Amino acid sequence: MENKKLKIGIIGLGTVGSGVVKTLKNFENVEIVSAAVKNLNKKRDVEVQNLTDDPFEIVNNPEIDVVVEVAGGCNPTYELITTAIKNKKHIVTANKELLAKFGDKIFDLANENNVSVLYEAAVAGGIPIIGPIKTTLRGNIFTKVAGILNGTTNYILTKMEEKNISYLECLKDAQNLGYAEADPTGDVEGYDAMYKIATLANITFHRRIDVNKIYREGITKISADDIKFADEFGYKIKLIGLAQKYDDQKLDIRVHPMLVPKTNMISGINNALNAVLLEGFPVDKVMFTGPGAGEFPTASSVVGDILSIAGECGHTDTVLPLHRCNHKKEAEIVDIKHTKNKYYISITAPNSKGTIGAIGTVCGENNINLSSILQKGTKEDNTAQIIVITEESAELDIQNAIAELNKHNIVINNLIRVM
């Protein structure tokens, strides 16, 4: 292929696919042979000479060297990608769900057929993170990777804080601005971040991840009061994807809201920006931040992967060996009930003598030490809002204490883990 153009086929000409076409116009060593779309008659702001509504024409076209998949979903995408690989085509994809659910099969098949699968855009949009982990940070032994991996939820939580308004009001605002889908479930319930942390854990800890074993919790229960009280205690609330070593054998992988100390770098990442924080030896801590979605940020990563392949095709028999997945060991993922965390607990309780004492007693009986406790006024129904921050405690002890508090007519409004 030396001195020849790399010929690509694109599956999907939506926001990201259009951005890829526009960006590739700046590079003469790549040629778009064809693109597959759902609707041939739809008006688009980009022009590709050969359009088809049959994506199998792309993956079976002998002229195409690289299949760029930016359509999303798993059906029929999984079959399309595996067919392309069997036809000896390299893959560039932005499909986080596909990789989280079927990455092990895809990577094995790619190795069998000596092709590369690149996916920089599938984790953090325009933020370069996959490449650095696999290359310049390769000499590190990592203990933790954590981050804000979903721009929609970060935007909503930022606006809830700035405007002191409810989750539902901010969601509606995000939908009107195009930050949130009409059906926002994938974002606000944490699925999107779950798929991304699964991929990050895979490459950081060299273990294959069963995405079904990852604990997941979204932001729909977060209130404006939670954000206000967290701020008073010196925290910001963020939806965090977390993967860390639990012990020598097990990994702790989860997605849920967390109180992030204002001293932590991640707390300052606002609006639709994303961030990934890595901890390990010898680098200690390093953070990557930038736009995690959008037409051109995502296209930046997709095109970067395409050009990486273009730079090696025709010059080597094995394209980009450092980027290939060669580990096969399955991760043992610890159940969240066996983890230890600090906790923020929002409580509504009768405004009567002994209530705070009862809370302290129940916590003490369950091996929970309290770091802070604050009563925030009395409501018309003579109930009090009480906020508790615990020291590090076992999840099982916290859940037992909550069950006991409920017997005392003490209502738990929300429980949020602390980073």
Side-chain angles (χ1 to χ4, degrees), residues 203-395:
I203 64 170
T204 302
F205 298 108
H206 308 293
R207 293 288 185 273
R208 296 197 166 177
I209 309 300
D210 182 349
V211 72
N212 298 305
K213 294 181 180 178
I214 297 176
Y215 177 83
R216 174 193 52 77
E217 183 184 324
I219 66 166
T220 57
K221 295 178 183 178
I222 303 296
S223 70
D225 280 346
D226 289 327
I227 289 176
K228 181 173 64 177
F229 298 149
D231 181 67
E232 290 183 27
F233 282 108
Y235 297 94
K236 299 291 184 82
I237 297 179
K238 302 291 184 182
L239 182 70
I240 299 294
L242 170 68
Q244 60 188 352
K245 288 188 175 180
Y246 180 79
D247 57 26
D248 289 340
Q249 301 297 323
K250 298 177 184 177
L251 296 178
D252 174 13
I253 309 177
R254 41 194 158 115
V255 171
H256 53 67
M258 298 188 82
L259 267 68
V260 181
K262 291 180 183 178
T263 54
N264 188 303
M265 294 183 286
I266 287 181
S267 70
I269 307 302
N270 294 318
N271 296 307
L273 292 179
N274 282 193
V276 179
L277 177 67
L278 288 160
E279 294 185 17
F281 177 81
V283 76
D284 192 18
K285 295 180 183 179
V286 60
M287 189 171 82
F288 298 76
T289 184
E295 179 180 10
F296 289 113
T298 309
S300 168
S301 291
V302 172
V303 171
D305 282 346
I306 293 169
L307 295 176
S308 292
I309 294 171
E312 294 213 352
C313 274
H315 300 281
T316 176
D317 292 332
T318 304
V319 171
L320 299 168
L322 288 182
H323 288 262
R324 299 190 180 192
C325 176
N326 294 307
H327 56 269
K328 292 182 179 289
K329 189 172 182 179
E330 299 284 339
E332 187 176 352
I333 301 174
V334 66
D335 191 300
I336 194 167
K337 68 184 180 184
H338 297 306
T339 64
K340 290 185 177 181
N341 309 273
K342 296 179 181 179
Y343 297 84
Y344 158 102
I345 308 172
S346 170
I347 297 169
T348 297
N351 183 38
S352 57
K353 291 180 180 179
T355 295
I356 288 182
I359 293 171
T361 299
V362 169
C363 287
E365 290 173 347
N366 285 279
N367 308 307
I368 300 165
N369 292 326
L370 302 183
S371 173
S372 303
I373 185 166
L374 181 66
Q375 181 170 333
K376 299 296 293 183
T378 305
K379 297 181 180 180
E380 293 180 1
D381 61 358
N382 201 36
T383 59
Q385 179 107 40
I386 299 168
I387 306 300
V388 169
I389 303 284
T390 76
E391 294 183 3
E392 186 175 77
S393 307
E395 179 87 16

Side-chain angles (χ1 to χ4, degrees), residues 13 36-44 51-54:
L13 271 187
V37 297
K38 286 184 178 179
N39 183 356
L40 291 171
N41 298 316
K42 180 181 177 180
K43 289 186 178 180
R44 296 177 174 82
L51 288 182
T52 177
D53 57 5
D54 180 6

